[in-house]
Amino acid sequence: MNLSSPNSLRQGPDARGHFGIFGGRFVAETLMPLILSLEKAYDEARQDPAYHAELKHLLTHYVGRPSPLYYAERMTERLGGAKIYFKREELNHTGAHKINNVLGQILLALRMGKKRIIAETGAGQHGVATATACARFGLECVVYMGAVDVERQKPNVFRMNLLGAKVIPVQSGARTLKDAMNEALRDWVTNVDDTFYCIGTAAGPHPYPAMVRDFQCVIGDETRKQMMELEGRLPDSLFACIGGGSNAIGLFHPFLDDPSVELYGVEAAGYGLNVPNGHAASLAGGRPGVLHGNRTYLLMDDDGQILEGHSISAGLDYPGIGPEHAWLKENGRVTYLSATDKEALDAFQLCSKLEGIIPALEPAHALAKIVEIAPKKPKHHLMVLGLSGRGDKDIFTVADHLGGM
Amino acid sequence: MSRIDRRFAAVKAQGRAALVTFVMAGDPDPALSLDILKALAKAGADVIEVGMPFSDPMADGPAVQAAGLRALHAGMTLRGVLKIVAEFRKQDADTPIILMGYYNPIYVYGVDKFLTDAKAAGADGMIVVDLPPEEDEELCLPALKAGLSFIRLATPTTDDARLPSVLANTSGFVYYVSITGVTGSARPDYSRVAIAVKRIKGHTALPVAVGFGVKDAAAAREIAQSADGVVVGSALIDALAGTLDAQGRGGPATVAAVGKLAGELAAGVAAAKERAIP
């Protein structure tokens, strides 16, 4: 992965899992030996051509990669500025980018001889991807999901059940994604011998943030190659939504050392950044702290108690963010913006009507910023949206907000 | 010699193990919480661990999770925890107080300020669950420098190769987690605990206290056969919770219930005659 120059931004993390002051391994002692053994297994796997070949085969024939880089012609015409492309991760098997990471981790679990897979999920996309891969490989799958999310994402709960996974509604704390992650960690600390924790985003204790990023880099690597083929040059700007930030880091990372490429991460501003506890923008409205194994930007009160945050999108509704994003914010390489629920809803409808593509509410946040910024750019500016998931799961949520459709 | 060292030495001189109790500061409210600490000391707790509530206690089972939520709802903060410790210390100069919790509230409070204020309040050490030796620079080393003990957890997954690094900067005592799991879960296998304690004592001269899953006097007595200390938390919290009304409010019965169980546990620990260790 890290073949670039000494001044490269692509060399993190250090041996202790740090991106600047962010990242690290803030876990209970019981888990520390497990995390060290995972790190070792991952280091060995990524040097093994057979591992890469198997992953490549699955990504091609099971997931359907490469995903297209699609010229959004009518969106481009409507906005009247930059030439807009969609990197269509929503066309992957299971309908989102999550499967890229899950297959990498499941192959690793198989190498490590682990038979039981646990995962946390918010909107259910990572849970569905994990349940899918476990079905494919005949592994036991337990998915922790906040009881509140189980209620608001019923179709995904049914999908997971259909795929043979056991979905456990988490009743502790605020009963959403962060509590699901707490409960998955409690499971892992209890079942240390046979269980592999498949984390869904580029966060958690080292090596997860780097490992998940590596698996998601297929998004940016393909985008780079496809843009060279289509336009003969690199894109000028990339936009991706950020909850934990795995699709964004996967799109951005292969371009970190190309200073001509502007990178924009878009957080969920919910009801607005000025509404207390009314948004999920950890970078814009949080500060550095330690949760779920890493130091990163977190939404919390003055006493260090974690806040819930809010977003219309269950997939962005997490009070933290991957540590590499925290570092990329501090060094200024990525510009972090935010979009409100309303802006995302507008972009969701615009995309559906103009392109015949119903995006997930998560990437609709990134699209909202494209709607704002594309008109200000010249026509030769090549702009890419990481279209990380499809919106089928969101149509009822959207219908509620629009007063029925 | 620290207050913790003195207490373990005194207990050893009596030929028994120490009773180490855990309750959450501010549970069910700050005033009762202080009364509970006093009742614990009176009932025979040799060392008191005081929980610093955190919104996301990922190593804790349902009892301690609920205790933390009750404390937070009652307005408890890290500043409030230290205030309770200071009040306790005004009346009890000898019982060691160990602050136990997670790193984020301390990090946000400020490490240096926390150490200064904890020391001033009369705390003797800390257990911070999510700070393994790999992150010693964060709090462990500054704490030792400030004259506070940093008590580390050793677990069934901590093998002989790893034990020296876990023990390296530990002081006061070693807390052996008897099971893989969260607080208040399954009952440990006593014979395996005895073997583990012996293994750890082969690496350190520090006292070894054992916790997680010790629910009653009989269990305390079993553990006390092999360990230098027995830690009980969730069972005390369950006793506390059993006295609360529908709104989560406690009263004199709350303090009495915790004190009663602590007395039984102290008797259980004292009754462990066949101590396997000198």
Side-chain angles (χ1 to χ4, degrees):
Chain A
M1 275 297 136
N2 304 317
L3 303 171
S4 20
S5 73
N7 294 324
S8 169
L9 294 171
R10 302 188 62 198
Q11 292 188 322
D14 67 18
R16 296 166 63 208
H18 292 150
F19 300 91
I21 69 158
F22 301 103
R25 290 175 289 205
F26 296 87
V27 296
E29 170 61 22
T30 310
L31 291 182
M32 201 57 224
L34 280 68
I35 283 167
L36 293 172
S37 104
L38 173 65
E39 184 183 356
K40 185 164 172 283
Y42 178 55
D43 279 345
E44 286 165 9
R46 60 191 206 153
Q47 289 165 40
D48 180 355
Y51 173 80
H52 287 287
E54 190 175 6
L55 182 54
K56 178 106 199 307
H57 182 86
L58 282 167
L59 290 175
T60 305
H61 300 283
Y62 191 62
V63 176
R65 303 207 70 93
S67 68
L69 185 65
Y70 161 79
Y71 170 40
E73 191 175 354
R74 295 193 69 214
M75 188 70 82
T76 299
E77 279 169 13
R78 169 67 67 92
L79 297 176
K83 186 170 183 183
I84 299 163
Y85 282 89
F86 292 168
K87 178 59 176 168
R88 299 198 56 190
E89 291 297 302
E90 101 281 9
L91 292 177
N92 293 341
H93 181 39
T94 69
H97 69 291
K98 294 290 187 189
I99 192 81
N100 303 329
N101 161 49
V102 165
L103 288 172
Q105 288 198 50
I106 294 299
L107 290 185
L108 194 56
L110 290 169
R111 281 174 74 99
M112 295 174 77
K114 305 287 184 183
K115 304 278 186 240
R116 182 173 176 271
I117 308 297
I118 57 171
E120 83 295 335
T121 197
Q125 292 303 101
H126 175 61
V128 167
T130 306
T132 298
C134 287
R136 167 67 183 75
F137 288 98
L139 297 167
E140 182 186 350
C141 180
V142 176
V143 179
Y144 290 93
M145 188 168 185
V148 170
D149 291 333
V150 167
E151 265 318 297
R152 61 181 176 182
Q153 303 286 340
K154 276 190 177 149
N156 273 343
V157 175
F158 183 67
R159 278 187 192 103
M160 287 183 269
N161 287 329
L162 208 56
L163 292 159
K166 185 174 174 194
V167 180
I168 301 185
V170 175
Q171 302 289 354
S172 62
R175 300 180 295 152
T176 58
L177 178 54
K178 80 174 176 70
D179 308 288
M181 197 151 180
N182 291 335
E183 211 57 37
L185 286 165
R186 290 181 188 121
D187 180 310
W188 202 23
V189 90
T190 307
N191 301 291
V192 295
D193 293 325
D194 63 343
T195 297
F196 185 100
Y197 182 14
C198 183
I199 294 185
T201 193
H206 178 64
Y208 283 100
M211 181 172 73
V212 175
R213 172 202 69 202
D214 291 347
F215 294 140
Q216 293 295 1
C217 273
V218 67
I219 305 172
D221 287 336
E222 283 178 10
T223 299
R224 192 181 181 95
K225 185 161 172 277
Q226 289 165 322
M227 192 59 96
M228 291 303 289
E229 284 165 10
L230 289 165
E231 299 279 357
R233 66 183 182 89
L234 294 180
D236 296 301
S237 60
L238 308 175
F239 286 73
C241 63
I242 303 208
S246 69
N247 95 86
I249 201 71
L251 178 62
F252 296 167
H253 199 262
F255 296 95
L256 287 181
D257 290 338
D258 300 293
S260 70
V261 183
E262 300 165 26
L263 305 173
Y264 296 94
V266 183
E267 297 188 288
Y271 302 126
L273 292 181
N274 54 352
V275 179
N277 205 19
H279 62 83
S282 319
L283 291 177
R287 55 198 161 122
V290 173
L291 179 71
H292 293 153
N294 57 170
R295 179 175 5 240
T296 188
Y297 275 75
L298 299 170
L299 299 175
M300 57 178 147
D301 69 13
D302 290 340
D303 192 43
Q305 308 299 337
I306 307 303
L307 298 173
E308 274 314 296
H310 158 81
S311 168
I312 188 173
S313 149
L316 301 182
D317 203 351
Y318 178 69
I321 183 165
E324 194 163 11
H325 285 295
W327 177 69
L328 289 168
K329 171 198 163 76
E330 298 231 326
N331 68 28
R333 176 63 186 96
V334 179
T335 303
Y336 292 92
L337 308 169
S338 60
T340 62
D341 289 352
K342 167 136 198 338
E343 290 174 309
L345 276 168
D346 290 347
F348 178 95
Q349 294 172 84
L350 190 67
C351 186
S352 301
K353 283 176 184 154
L354 285 182
E355 295 293 344
I357 296 170
I358 301 175
L361 279 170
E362 289 83 5
H365 284 73
L367 185 59
K369 294 296 112 172
I370 285 185
V371 170
E372 192 180 303
I373 293 168
K376 299 172 189 163
K377 299 288 187 184
K379 289 193 187 306
H380 57 78
H381 182 105
L382 302 177
M383 187 174 274
V384 176
L385 167 70
L387 185 42
S388 55
R390 67 177 183 229
D392 309 43
K393 68 181 174 62
D394 294 319
I395 54 176
F396 300 110
T397 305
V398 172
D400 279 351
H401 279 82
L402 300 181
M405 290 198 293
Chain B
M1 207 181 205
S2 74
R3 206 179 268 132
I4 302 171
D5 298 337
R6 282 200 300 274
R7 178 55 60 95
F8 271 98
V11 165
K12 189 178 177 183
Q14 294 170 26
R16 63 178 178 90
L19 173 63
V20 181
T21 59
F22 171 91
V23 287
M24 186 65 74
D27 176 29
D29 65 61
L32 279 176
S33 180
L34 177 59
D35 290 346
I36 287 169
L37 296 187
K38 293 176 188 167
L40 286 171
K42 198 174 160 203
D46 298 300
V47 177
I48 299 179
E49 295 175 1
V50 175
M52 302 175 281
F54 181 48
S55 53
D56 293 78
M58 48 270 189
D60 284 302
V64 178
Q65 288 176 37
L69 286 180
R70 285 194 297 269
L72 291 173
H73 287 153
M76 192 43 47
T77 59
L78 186 47
R79 195 178 307 274
V81 175
L82 297 178
K83 210 171 140 195
I84 290 174
V85 171
E87 286 298 317
F88 175 83
R89 189 53 83 213
K90 279 182 191 165
Q91 296 170 35
D92 186 327
D94 301 316
T95 307
I97 293 281
I98 316 289
L99 299 168
M100 184 165 183
Y102 296 81
Y103 186 39
N104 195 55
I106 296 170
Y107 180 71
V108 170
Y109 191 92
V111 165
D112 291 340
K113 184 172 174 347
F114 169 74
L115 293 173
T116 304
D117 292 356
K119 182 105 180 152
D124 301 287
M126 67 204 73
I127 301 172
V128 183
V129 178
D130 51 354
L131 285 177
E134 280 74 3
E135 303 291 351
D136 266 359
E137 289 163 21
E138 295 285 335
L139 181 64
C140 173
L141 299 181
L144 297 179
K145 210 170 155 194
L148 288 159
S149 291
F150 197 86
I151 292 124
R152 193 96 66 191
L153 305 179
T155 74
T157 60
T158 313
D159 61 17
D160 280 330
R162 187 168 164 78
L163 250 180
S165 67
V166 168
L167 297 172
N169 293 316
T170 303
S171 60
F173 62 97
V174 180
Y175 185 143
Y176 179 67
V177 176
S178 65
I179 50 154
T180 58
V182 294
T183 52
S185 44
R187 201 192 70 159
D189 176 335
Y190 302 128
S191 60
R192 288 175 72 170
V193 167
I195 293 166
V197 169
K198 200 173 165 197
R199 179 168 72 91
I200 294 167
K201 292 183 81 72
H203 289 264
T204 179
L206 289 170
V208 178
V210 174
F212 279 47
V214 184
K215 293 191 194 316
D216 51 29
R221 180 179 166 170
E222 289 288 343
I223 298 284
Q225 311 268 2
S226 61
D228 302 307
V230 180
V231 190
V232 184
S234 297
L236 289 164
I237 289 170
D238 284 339
L240 179 159
T243 67
L244 303 180
D245 68 17
Q247 282 74 46
R249 286 175 306 219
T254 308
V255 181
V258 176
K260 178 170 176 286
L261 178 56
E264 292 167 16
L265 293 164
V269 166
K273 297 281 185 221
E274 313 278 321
R275 288 176 43 75
I277 47 161

